[in-house]
Amino acid sequence: MQPRKILLVEDSKLVHKMYEVMLRQYPLVHAFDGRDALTKIGENPDVDLILLDINMPHMNGLEFLAQVKSNPAFSRIHVVIVSTEGKEDDTVRALKLGASAYIKKPFRNEALLEVIARLGAGGSQA
C-alpha cells in the first residue's frame, strides 16, 4: 500500500523542489519547520507519511517528532528522518521517539523510494 499523502517538513526550498520531482506520484504537503508542520498535519488528516529534517528554525525535527508520536491522532503515521545529521545519538534518539527510518543526506532517490515502499508494505527500516 502506497502513502495517500506525504508531509514534507524541511526548511530548504531547494529540497522541497527535489521532493516534488522525486515524489510526483504522491500528493505532497509542504511545511518549512516543526510549528508549520503541526498546523499542516492538523489540516491534512489523511497524511500517512512524514519526511522530516532535524535542523530547522522555530521547532526542530526531533521536537516535532516527539509531539506527533505523543498525539494519539497522529502517532501511527510513519516518520522518516531525512537529515544531514548523521550522529549516532541523533539516530538513536529519533528511533526511540518513534521514527520508522533514518536516511542521511545526501541520499540516492532509489534509497528513499525503497524505504517508502517498505513502509507502505507495513514494515520499518532504520
Side-chain angles (χ1 to χ4, degrees):
M1 185 162 118
Q2 294 296 313
R4 289 185 310 257
K5 190 180 283 185
I6 300 174
L7 174 62
L8 308 172
V9 188
E10 166 67 56
D11 60 334
S12 167
K13 290 180 181 182
L14 180 62
V15 174
H16 278 271
K17 296 237 181 260
M18 180 194 72
Y19 281 139
E20 286 176 5
V21 171
M22 277 181 46
L23 303 172
R24 67 180 132 241
Q25 69 269 38
Y26 302 108
L28 303 176
V29 177
H30 298 269
F32 293 91
D33 63 54
R35 279 195 276 180
D36 186 25
L38 288 175
T39 300
K40 297 286 174 75
I41 199 170
E43 295 169 349
N44 294 274
D46 55 341
V47 163
D48 55 358
L49 177 65
I50 299 170
L51 300 181
L52 179 63
D53 188 20
I54 290 179
N55 289 322
M56 296 178 293
H58 310 297
M59 178 189 289
N60 73 39
L62 295 176
E63 293 166 334
F64 170 79
L65 177 61
Q67 289 201 29
V68 165
K69 291 301 180 175
S70 69
N71 184 327
F74 307 133
S75 64
R76 294 182 190 253
I77 298 172
H78 283 295
V79 178
V80 176
I81 303 292
V82 184
S83 180
T84 57
E85 293 299 312
K87 293 182 256 174
E88 187 174 339
D89 291 348
D90 288 331
T91 304
V92 169
R93 185 168 172 218
L95 295 173
K96 281 185 178 178
L97 286 170
S100 300
Y102 195 111
I103 298 173
K104 188 173 182 214
K105 293 177 189 170
F107 58 88
R108 292 181 358 264
N109 295 0
E110 298 80 21
L112 179 61
L113 294 173
E114 182 179 303
V115 168
I116 291 171
R118 285 191 183 153
L119 293 175
S124 68
Q125 174 182 344

